[in-house]
């Protein structure tokens, strides 16, 4: 008889784990609180527009290939990935921009426009990122750190790679121009980290992008969710929507199954939680069943920033602007703004933005003749004390006015669809502790063995996938965690 595995949530960590476990003969059921699958990759549908909740930057398409291959299928039969060129267009506070892609000559020409002296430094930086990638991703991303000795084995290599330096400090060794330093150090923000605090291991994201490109899934990220849920059901898995878990039932340290909000109990041989790790420990496991992850420990951990995201559609196209598919608009302040967000936890009047314009690549996700956008601003998590019931509207207005004044003429009179999310949404709808958008912050002291483990220390048949466990947030991280869950549950490792 096959082992019964129950999975909490349907984010990408859960979807990847479900396909992998079903392909290995496990009996899998998934429980999703919301009315659609996808977790953070939820799709909002407003007035004929499809808005991807996120994530929208796909940097390792081969990881999706691996999931479909595990089930004996071909990813290209389900999803079409197309490359984005350039990867990003990054604007300074004066509206001047810098593009980069995987072509060395192209990027060097862009650097030359800004600061010719940094061309050699960039090449030197690039040369070091391969070693960081080989260690941090190829060797360690799908290996669980369950014992402290696992950490000791890799510590000398991590020290040699200068992992004790922040991404910004690491980049600054090679790049002199202040704006270019920002362009090559913003990547930790994609996984919830402050470039001035996050370990330089995350400089490998730049290598990952160059090696495999930045892609978009035609039909949006929701098309990937649909492909994976279709595959799960084809393989015999069950997905329960609008079904909230109330408790992970543990007796004598053994996980027995799940109790749902409706009072029903579902027995299991193992449980995999894709719910936020601190939320799982604090709200789904009784205190008497937690020896390590006490409320006090969870309160003392550091959590990523939150996000304010506006999804909006216009009744006209904006093809004659200087915008690309992925745009990063940096404010005049960089370090100061990040300090406000991560350390001071105050909502600043200024902001830096990520502006996503997917209809440049895929017009089908909006009505004919219309343009689809989302604009994202990093903000402090709920420890800031900001009353978002009052702050959201003025903050939204300031961002939209900025975009109208600088990038999208007559924007507000052309908006015909809009929806926004704020830190309250992350806490209430996504069960994210403190409204954090990326769970546990990716600090060196909260990475690898120091991060919540993929197999719970509280119960040997309780497992974690997703942003809050090893290796961390971002699509490559959460997909790696699903591979770790498979290895642990099949006994290949651990």
């Amino acid at each position: 008889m096959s082992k019964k595995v129950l999975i909490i949530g349907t984010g990408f960590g859960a979807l990847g784990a479900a396909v992998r476990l079903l392909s290995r003969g496990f009996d899998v059921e998934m429980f999703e609180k919301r009315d659609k699958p996808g977790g953070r990759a939820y799709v909002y549908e407003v007035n004929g527009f499809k808005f991807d909740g996120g994530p929208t930057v796909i940097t390792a398409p081969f990881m999706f290939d691996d999931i479909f291959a595990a089930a004996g299928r071909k990813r290209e039969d389900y999803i079409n990935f197309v490359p984005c060129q350039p990867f990003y267009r990054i604007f300074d506070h004066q509206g001047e921009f810098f593009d980069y892609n995987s072509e060395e000559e192209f990027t060097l020409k862009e650097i030359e426009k800004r600061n010719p002296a940094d061309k050699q430094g960039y090449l030197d930086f690039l040369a070091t990122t391969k070693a960081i990638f080989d260690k941090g991703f190829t060797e360690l991303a799908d290996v669980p750190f369950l014992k402290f000795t696992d950490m000791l084995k890799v510590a000398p290599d991590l020290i040699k790679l200068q992992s004790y330096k922040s991404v910004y400090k690491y980049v600054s060794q090679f790049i002199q121009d202040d704006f270019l330093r920002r362009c090559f150090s913003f990547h930790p923000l994609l996984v919830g980290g402050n470039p001035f605090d996050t370990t330089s291991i995350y400089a490998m994201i730049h290598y990952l992008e160059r090696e495999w490109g930045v892609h978009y899934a035609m039909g949006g990220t929701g098309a990937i969710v649909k492909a994976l849920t279709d595959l799960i059901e084809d393989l015999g898995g069950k997905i329960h929507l609008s079904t909230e878990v109330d408790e992970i039932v543990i007796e004598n340290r053994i996980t027995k199954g799940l109790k749902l909000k409706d009072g029903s109990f579902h027995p299991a041989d193992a449980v995999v939680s894709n719910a936020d790790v601190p939320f799982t420990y604090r709200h789904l496991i009784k205190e008497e069943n937690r020896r390590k992850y006490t409320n006090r420990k969870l309160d003392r951990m550091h959590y990523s920033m939150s996000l304010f995201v506006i999804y909006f559609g216009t009744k006209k196209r904006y093809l004659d602007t200087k915008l690309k598919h992925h745009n990063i608009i940096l404010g005049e302040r960089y370090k100061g703004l990040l300090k406000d967000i991560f350390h001071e936890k105050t909502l600043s009047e200024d902001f830096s933005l990520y502006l996503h314009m997917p209809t440049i690549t895929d017009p089908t996700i909006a009505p004919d003749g219309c343009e689809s956008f989302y604009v994202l601003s990093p903000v402090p998590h709920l420890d800031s004390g900001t009353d978002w019931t009052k702050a959201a509207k003025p903050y939204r207005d300031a961002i939209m006015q900025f975009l109208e004044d600088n990038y999208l003429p007559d924007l507000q009179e052309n908006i015909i669809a809009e929806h926004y999310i704020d830190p309250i949404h992350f806490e209430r709808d996504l069960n994210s502790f403190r409204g954090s958008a990326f769970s546990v912050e990716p600090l060196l002291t909260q990475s690898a063995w120091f991060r919540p483990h993929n197999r719970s220390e509280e119960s040997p048949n309780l497992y974690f996938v997703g942003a809050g466990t090893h290796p961390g947030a971002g699509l490559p991280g959460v997909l790696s965690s699903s591979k770790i869950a498979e290895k642990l549950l099949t006994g290949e490792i651990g």
Side-chain angles (χ1 to χ4, degrees):
M1 189 173 159
S2 58
K3 281 191 174 180
K4 182 81 175 183
V5 179
L6 303 183
I7 300 180
I8 306 171
T10 56
F12 276 119
L15 296 173
V19 173
R20 289 179 174 281
L21 292 171
L22 285 162
S23 302
R24 300 294 291 268
F26 289 85
D27 180 5
V28 176
E29 279 190 71
M30 309 179 80
F31 298 87
E32 169 57 54
K33 170 187 173 182
R34 302 178 83 185
D35 62 342
K36 289 182 198 172
R40 283 162 173 72
Y42 190 91
V43 178
Y44 300 97
E45 297 185 51
V46 186
N47 294 348
F49 290 82
K50 284 184 180 177
F51 298 113
D52 283 329
T56 57
V57 179
I58 297 166
T59 50
F62 68 90
M63 299 189 77
F64 287 105
D65 296 352
D66 289 350
I67 290 170
F68 283 91
R73 313 292 170 92
K74 289 184 176 177
R75 184 268 306 161
E76 52 269 33
D77 292 340
Y78 288 78
I79 319 160
N80 178 26
F81 288 135
V82 294
C84 296
Q85 294 290 358
F87 294 165
Y88 307 94
R89 175 159 282 181
I90 307 168
F91 295 88
D92 66 16
H93 68 282
Q94 295 172 316
E96 298 295 318
F97 60 81
F98 172 83
D99 292 346
Y100 80 85
N101 63 18
S102 55
E103 296 165 27
E104 202 170 275
E105 278 310 308
F106 175 86
T107 305
L108 289 171
K109 280 177 186 168
E110 288 288 297
I111 292 170
E112 188 163 12
K113 291 178 198 171
R114 194 88 196 186
N115 185 30
D118 277 329
K119 287 166 68 178
Q120 186 56 48
Y122 173 73
L123 292 172
D124 294 342
F125 164 67
L126 211 54
T128 68
T129 58
K130 185 178 189 311
I132 295 172
F133 175 83
D134 287 345
K135 176 58 65 175
F137 188 86
T138 308
E139 284 189 41
L140 304 179
D142 56 8
V143 176
F145 283 78
L146 302 177
K147 303 188 290 291
F148 186 62
T149 49
D150 296 337
M151 190 73 185
L152 291 179
K153 286 175 198 164
V154 301
D157 288 330
L158 295 178
I159 291 166
K160 195 163 77 178
L161 294 170
Q162 302 181 26
S163 61
Y164 50 86
K165 290 182 176 172
S166 71
V167 170
Y168 185 85
K169 191 169 184 182
Y170 188 82
V171 168
S172 297
Q173 297 173 121
F174 304 98
I175 307 291
Q176 300 309 311
D177 180 81
D178 185 55
F179 177 62
L180 291 177
R181 284 178 171 178
R182 299 178 187 195
C183 291
F184 294 120
S185 71
F186 76 85
H187 295 85
L189 290 163
L190 301 175
V191 293
N194 180 349
F196 291 90
D197 296 331
T198 302
T199 165
S200 63
I201 292 297
Y202 283 85
M204 71 181 175
I205 298 175
H206 187 71
Y207 181 85
L208 188 73
E209 289 175 342
R210 279 181 48 87
E211 191 70 8
W212 286 281
V214 169
H215 293 76
Y216 171 82
M218 295 303 284
T221 312
I224 311 178
V225 175
K226 185 179 186 313
L228 288 170
T229 53
D230 286 350
L231 179 56
I232 287 164
E233 289 173 341
D234 285 351
L235 294 170
K238 292 181 190 160
I239 302 172
H240 304 277
L241 300 175
S242 302
T243 308
E244 191 168 357
V245 174
D246 186 56
E247 183 190 343
I248 297 170
V249 178
I250 298 176
E251 295 173 9
N252 298 319
R253 295 196 66 230
I254 301 301
T255 297
K256 297 293 186 178
L258 298 177
K259 190 178 98 178
L260 305 184
K261 286 283 187 187
D262 66 7
S264 63
F265 174 73
H266 294 254
D269 295 302
V271 166
V272 177
S273 179
N274 187 206
D276 184 50
V277 173
F279 176 88
T280 301
Y281 277 128
R282 193 171 187 122
H283 297 289
L284 299 183
I285 300 175
K286 287 180 176 173
E287 270 195 87
E288 62 257 34
N289 291 321
R290 289 187 276 130
R291 298 182 299 180
K292 179 172 180 181
Y293 282 95
T294 60
N295 290 352
R296 186 163 177 265
K297 177 178 173 64
L298 293 166
D299 286 342
R300 290 170 64 186
M301 289 167 66
H302 296 276
Y303 298 95
S304 86
M305 80 291 196
S306 193
L307 300 172
F308 186 86
V309 190
I310 311 163
Y311 307 91
F312 59 100
T314 59
K315 61 188 178 187
K316 60 174 271 191
R317 300 295 305 268
Y318 279 93
L319 297 176
D320 54 351
T321 67
K322 52 188 175 181
L323 296 170
K324 295 292 187 183
H325 185 124
H326 296 295
N327 306 277
I328 294 168
I329 303 169
L330 296 174
E332 188 167 2
R333 292 194 311 143
Y334 187 58
K335 187 173 186 179
L337 177 61
L338 292 170
K339 185 181 178 189
D340 287 349
I341 294 168
F342 285 89
H343 298 287
E344 305 298 330
K345 296 185 174 59
T346 57
L347 183 64
S348 306
E349 288 188 11
D350 59 329
F351 36 71
S352 287
L353 305 171
Y354 162 61
L355 179 64
H356 183 229
M357 196 171 169
T359 30
I360 284 182
T361 306
D362 182 7
T364 67
I365 60 168
D368 286 349
C370 298
E371 203 83 77
S372 174
F373 301 86
Y374 89 48
V375 62
L376 172 159
S377 179
V379 295
H381 61 56
L382 288 170
D383 271 8
S384 71
T386 303
D387 182 354
W388 283 100
T389 61
K390 295 189 176 77
K393 180 68 166 62
Y395 197 69
R396 174 259 176 222
D397 291 348
I399 290 171
M400 296 306 246
Q401 193 62 52
F402 170 82
L403 291 176
E404 181 169 311
D405 291 344
N406 296 279
Y407 294 94
L408 298 166
D410 306 318
L411 168 62
Q412 292 176 86
E413 67 187 53
N414 283 290
I415 291 175
I416 55 171
E418 185 177 336
H419 174 71
Y420 72 76
I421 61 174
D422 59 25
I424 294 172
H425 160 84
F426 282 95
E427 181 180 60
R428 182 192 61 217
D429 297 335
L430 292 172
N431 291 346
S432 294
F433 192 57
R434 293 183 181 163
S436 150
F438 300 89
S439 196
V440 179
E441 191 180 347
L443 304 167
L444 186 60
T445 52
Q446 295 188 155
S447 297
W449 182 81
F450 299 109
R451 201 166 183 82
H453 295 179
N454 304 91
R455 182 169 64 212
S456 174
E457 295 97 315
E458 310 293 1
S459 172
N461 60 330
L462 172 61
Y463 303 85
F464 286 101
V465 293
T469 189
H470 173 72
L475 277 176
V478 301
L479 294 177
S480 291
S481 73
S482 72
K483 195 172 179 181
I484 293 172
E486 176 198 9
K487 289 178 176 179
L488 289 169
L489 275 151
T490 55
E492 283 178 40
I493 48 174

